[in-house]
Amino acid sequence: MSSSPTGRFTWRIVDVVVAAVLGIAVGIVFFAWDFVGGAGGNVLKLIFPPLSGLLGGLWLLGGVLGGLIIRKPGAALFVEFVAALATALIGNQWGMSVLISGLLQGLGAELVFAVFLYRVWKLPVAILAGAAAGAFEWVYEIFQWYAGWPTLYKPFYLVFLAISGAILAGLLGWLIQRGLASTGALDRFESGRQTRKLV
């Protein structure tokens, strides 16, 4: 495989297929989390509404995981959007509005990977990507769902959502990628070969 920038950034058929399958799989996880995270979030809102952001991170997983596995420009955005589309088609409480969330969440993670020129895939970058995905989602939710919140609530929600994204998308996504790579399932990807060399 070419090590030139063009070769590194060119999508292969296997990249597209795996990204799509990964997006669908994560979308199913999103659908299940709609019930658990949604219910838990409602409980946290009774204590202090912004605390619900602490459970939002799992919905940001697709972008981070897609970027870490595929390692191509657009992978984070693609996987997160496909995951959002999958959960919308299965059925969820927010309807097709999750497509906007998917785009923003994926874009947040994508920008972090782009800043590092799609060359650095260490844990701090994954954590930063998860936090950025949370920050991008915060912008949408504050205007779409929580515009009526007191001003004081909004920065707290940003902090909690970013922390959740860092852990439930960033750290968890990094651990999942390494776990998959250790089994040999990602040997057709740089992410799999590189991780297995380090283990």
Side-chain angles (χ1 to χ4, degrees):
M1 186 173 68
S2 173
S3 61
S4 69
T6 301
R8 283 195 312 112
F9 294 162
T10 301
W11 281 64
R12 305 165 299 166
I13 292 176
V14 67
D15 297 327
V16 177
V17 172
V18 170
V21 171
L22 183 61
I24 293 169
V26 173
I28 294 171
V29 172
F30 285 178
F31 178 72
W33 190 244
D34 286 347
F35 299 99
V36 179
N42 288 334
V43 172
L44 291 177
K45 284 178 182 177
L46 296 175
I47 302 170
F48 181 55
L51 282 172
S52 61
L54 290 174
L55 297 179
L58 199 65
W59 284 298
L60 314 173
L61 178 63
V64 177
L65 191 57
L68 290 175
I69 290 176
I70 308 298
R71 298 189 176 184
K72 300 286 175 70
L77 182 59
F78 181 85
V79 173
E80 187 71 38
F81 182 76
V82 170
L85 178 61
T87 192
L89 293 176
I90 294 172
N92 64 68
Q93 57 186 307
W94 299 284
M96 298 302 268
S97 70
V98 296
L99 298 184
I100 299 174
S101 289
L103 285 173
L104 290 173
Q105 294 161 7
L107 183 60
E110 190 73 48
L111 287 177
V112 170
F113 294 133
V115 165
F116 289 91
L117 303 177
Y118 300 97
R119 288 182 178 273
V120 182
W121 307 100
K122 296 181 179 178
L123 178 58
V125 175
I127 288 173
L128 187 58
F136 273 60
E137 174 62 14
W138 173 83
V139 174
Y140 173 65
E141 290 192 17
I142 285 300
F143 285 101
Q144 178 67 21
W145 307 113
Y146 304 128
W149 268 4
T151 302
L152 179 64
Y153 284 5
K154 297 175 183 179
F156 276 105
Y157 188 61
L158 171 60
V159 171
F160 293 139
L161 193 54
I163 290 173
S164 184
I167 296 170
L168 295 180
L171 174 59
L172 182 60
W174 186 80
L175 290 172
I176 291 172
Q177 182 272 320
R178 288 180 65 84
L180 289 172
S182 70
T183 68
L186 302 180
D187 281 355
R188 297 192 67 183
F189 298 89
E190 178 191 354
S191 60
R193 295 189 298 271
Q194 187 180 68
T195 301
R196 280 167 68 82
K197 286 179 182 177
L198 296 174
V199 175

